[in-house]
Amino acid sequence: MIAFDTDTFELVPTGPGLRVSFPLSSANGTASTATVLFELDPGAVLGVHTDSAEELLIVLHGTAEARVGDEVGRLETNQVGLVPPMAPHGLRNIGDDVLRVLGTFSASTVVSTFEEPFVEDGPDVLVIGSPIQLAGSREAALVA
């Protein structure tokens, strides 16, 4: 059994007020599931993006404004939101505490395409579950 603790799993600083990790994916042995665990500081944003697989967003702690397509709603601690595959979505921490979210995907390898990179000149396409870290720019791929 592969297991991890959502309270203590180490997250990597990825952008302003954003820390992320991918505890489960095909890269570490899953057959049909991947996860993302992330935190947003108060006011911080996880930018709008699409994922190639359906995603459940499980709010472990905090309050988020969630956008899925044209719909905007609120998710709070212990609430779950469903994001269809390829639906543009993003989150903003609208609370006073750190927002901690576990995302679970219906595939073990997921391609995430962001409208804007996390940081200037950073990647806007990530592949979750790749045995090697894959990230890049759509612009660079179009030029190649």
Side-chain angles (χ1 to χ4, degrees):
M1 176 171 61
I2 303 171
F4 68 95
D5 187 318
T6 60
D7 284 333
T8 60
F9 198 86
E10 184 177 351
L11 303 178
V12 177
T14 308
L18 172 64
R19 293 165 297 285
V20 178
S21 193
F22 302 97
L24 301 175
S25 68
S26 59
N28 59 12
T30 66
S32 60
T33 303
T35 60
V36 59
L37 182 63
F38 64 92
E39 289 181 341
L40 289 170
D41 291 335
V45 173
L46 175 65
V48 174
H49 63 284
T50 59
D51 297 313
S52 59
E54 184 174 79
E55 180 179 17
L56 288 176
L57 295 170
I58 304 160
V59 178
L60 303 173
H61 180 79
T63 305
E65 177 184 84
R67 173 188 167 205
V68 179
D70 294 332
E71 199 176 333
V72 177
R74 182 179 174 116
L75 289 173
E76 297 178 346
T77 301
N78 298 324
Q79 290 186 320
V80 179
L82 174 67
V83 180
M86 301 308 294
H89 62 287
L91 293 174
R92 175 184 307 276
N93 182 347
I94 59 172
D96 295 327
D97 297 322
V98 170
L99 173 67
R100 191 169 183 94
V101 176
L102 175 67
T104 65
F105 297 99
S106 62
S108 60
T109 303
V110 180
V111 178
S112 299
T113 305
F114 286 79
E115 288 183 359
E116 299 289 332
F118 292 116
V119 294
E120 190 174 335
D121 296 326
D124 59 1
V125 178
L126 305 173
V127 180
I128 301 163
S130 172
I132 57 170
Q133 183 177 4
L134 292 178
S137 164
R138 287 175 288 168
E139 185 176 298
L142 293 174
V143 172

